[in-house]
Amino acid sequence: MRVGDRHFRTIWLAEDGRSVEIIDQRRLPHDFRVVTLSTVDEVATAIRDMWVRGAPLIGVTAAYGVAIAMREDPSDEALAAVWETLHETRPTAINLRWALDEMKRVLKPLPADQRADAAYERAAEIADEDVELNRAIGAHGLTLIRQIAASKKPGEKVNILTHCNAGWLATVDYGTATAPIYLAVEEGIPVHVYVDETRPRNQGAQLTAWEMAGHGVPHTLVVDNAGGHLMQHGQVDMVIVGTDRTTANGDVCNKIGTYLKALAAKDNDVPFYVALPSPTIDWTVNDGVAEIPIEERDGDEVSLVWGRTAAGEVLQVRISPEATGAANPAFDVTPARLVTGLITERGVAEASAEGLRRLFPER
Ligand code: MRU
């Protein structure tokens, strides 16, 4: 997508043909900085410490991490080691495991001297595929927005609430939840987005809001707890969120707080959609609440908040007493019964085992 007058993806091969360049998402919206990752350790740190984040982008970054490892040492042992190192960086987003397994599937049968080239090739393909998946999700989601727009009075806005950042910054380009929104704006449908701030790391306030502002999408930042109130007062026409892992029966794991939005949506008859590319479906899991590992992050992410002072200095401040500990579960699971539909690259599926199998019969 556009940053100023340039088009950026979130990750690309550096000029040396070995390293990758990424946008350092910890610094947005205050500072746009590109960082080079040249070693597996740097890739692991970038994923763990959320320089890159968002399930699809985590997967693509890991795929490039495998390629970097293969350039150093293309042995079976090195392949197994990089799989382990990167797999343990973030436990919930299934795209990470999907990408690592995909790289292993392609590389394992090859002679060692062919692995590095093949790894860079496959990583680049996975990145391009992500862009195509998001374009397709956008087209299917647009149909839903069009339908809601058609039910409104001429000129009335379609109000969409979103949580966290499932935008282009969370993917290689376009985003999942945001792809239909960008297309709707392009088509001239009047939309307005309520952006949940998404405590504790504020991906909504810092990333989604930055995306919306950068692309001229009318939007308003709200605190996480405002969603229920807005829905009760008819101010939300639909919710679209992303997901880090969706089970074979349609349970949706996403950023902490998503479940509460889904409950409020159900209680107020607001359609609750989840946009996802198929690598985010974990076909091995059926019960999301019982089976999906939920990442527990450092409590400091809750107690300390980043911001920019009026003087332009970006700094971190403490908002709770030093003596107060903080729990920080990073994701929650929304049961399939609360989900109106899953917007995939193949169309909109009912959130159920049957609904997903109808769209993905090969699974
Ligand atoms: O912890 P994060 O910022 O990686 O979490 C991101 C989300 O929860 C997104 O909604 C999800 O990855 C879908 S991204 C298309």
Side-chain angles (χ1 to χ4, degrees):
M1 300 288 287
R2 261 192 343 266
V3 179
D5 54 7
R6 264 187 71 185
H7 177 267
F8 276 88
R9 284 184 171 189
T10 51
I11 187 165
W12 60 95
L13 194 62
E15 269 182 15
D16 66 6
R18 304 169 71 101
S19 314
V20 284
E21 302 200 322
I22 57 152
I23 298 166
D24 184 349
Q25 300 194 21
R26 295 168 305 167
R27 296 174 178 276
L28 291 171
H30 310 298
D31 186 13
F32 182 85
R33 203 174 291 186
V34 170
V35 168
T36 305
L37 308 176
S38 304
T39 66
V40 172
D41 282 351
E42 286 172 0
V43 169
T45 301
I47 297 174
R48 191 182 303 106
D49 295 348
M50 296 176 66
W51 309 9
V52 288
R53 25 72 49 208
L57 179 56
I58 290 170
V60 173
T61 309
Y64 274 114
V66 173
I68 289 170
M70 291 296 94
R71 190 64 85 204
E72 291 293 311
D73 173 1
S75 66
D76 279 359
E77 294 69 32
L79 184 55
V82 68
W83 194 100
E84 286 298 334
T85 302
L86 295 178
H87 185 245
E88 65 192 23
T89 51
R90 294 202 69 191
T92 303
I94 196 63
N95 306 59
L96 175 63
R97 193 181 78 201
W98 177 87
L100 291 170
D101 284 347
E102 178 59 16
M103 295 300 282
K104 193 159 90 179
R105 184 190 69 76
V106 169
L107 301 178
K108 198 74 201 282
L110 297 177
D113 65 348
Q114 291 177 19
R115 284 182 178 168
D117 286 348
Y120 278 98
E121 199 176 309
R122 186 65 191 120
E125 280 169 9
I126 291 174
D128 289 345
E129 283 163 16
D130 180 65
V131 177
E132 289 317 310
L133 293 174
N134 297 334
R135 270 195 230 272
I137 287 168
H140 295 299
L142 175 62
T143 308
L144 299 171
I145 298 178
R146 273 196 204 121
Q147 281 162 7
I148 292 173
S151 71
K152 303 217 123 203
K153 294 195 195 98
E156 254 182 18
K157 286 181 195 136
V158 177
N159 283 299
I160 302 169
L161 182 127
T162 190
H163 191 63
C164 194
N165 173 262
W168 73 271
L169 290 167
T171 64
V172 176
D173 212 346
Y174 299 116
T176 57
T178 54
I181 296 171
Y182 289 129
L183 289 180
V185 170
E186 247 172 56
E187 195 170 284
I189 298 174
V191 295
H192 166 263
V193 179
Y194 281 112
V195 177
D196 281 354
E197 63 177 349
T198 318
R199 285 278 290 144
R201 288 188 66 110
N202 291 321
Q203 289 95 328
Q206 297 185 329
L207 304 177
T208 305
W210 181 78
E211 283 194 23
M212 298 288 110
H215 291 84
V217 181
H219 65 288
T220 306
L221 180 64
V222 289
V223 297
D224 290 325
N225 293 327
H229 166 79
L230 294 173
M231 291 184 215
Q232 273 179 333
H233 289 267
Q235 286 172 264
V236 178
D237 297 302
M238 71 193 302
V239 179
I240 314 181
V241 298
T243 167
D244 292 83
R245 189 184 306 215
T246 287
T247 67
N249 68 342
D251 291 345
V252 169
C253 182
N254 191 46
K255 181 53 57 190
I256 193 81
T258 303
Y259 173 45
L260 285 177
K261 297 298 167 304
L263 285 170
K266 187 73 168 181
D267 198 42
N268 292 284
D269 287 326
V270 173
F272 184 94
Y273 288 102
V274 180
L276 73 156
S278 51
T280 309
I281 304 170
D282 186 346
W283 298 98
T284 69
V285 165
N286 282 306
D287 183 340
V289 175
E291 295 178 74
I292 296 178
I294 299 296
E295 178 177 3
E296 184 72 38
R297 293 188 64 85
D298 197 321
D300 275 358
E301 291 184 351
V302 178
S303 311
L304 306 173
V305 175
W306 284 100
R308 189 172 64 186
T309 66
E313 191 186 0
V314 177
L315 47 75
Q316 208 177 30
V317 294
R318 172 170 287 278
I319 58 166
S320 53
E322 290 273 2
T324 301
N328 187 10
F331 300 96
D332 60 25
V333 174
T334 298
R337 66 187 153 78
L338 300 177
V339 177
T340 309
L342 301 170
I343 312 170
T344 76
E345 70 270 19
R346 293 196 190 168
V348 182
E350 180 189 282
S352 67
E354 301 69 42
L356 278 171
R357 236 179 282 124
R358 221 170 286 133
L359 280 190
F360 298 92
E362 73 277 18
R363 306 308 299 234

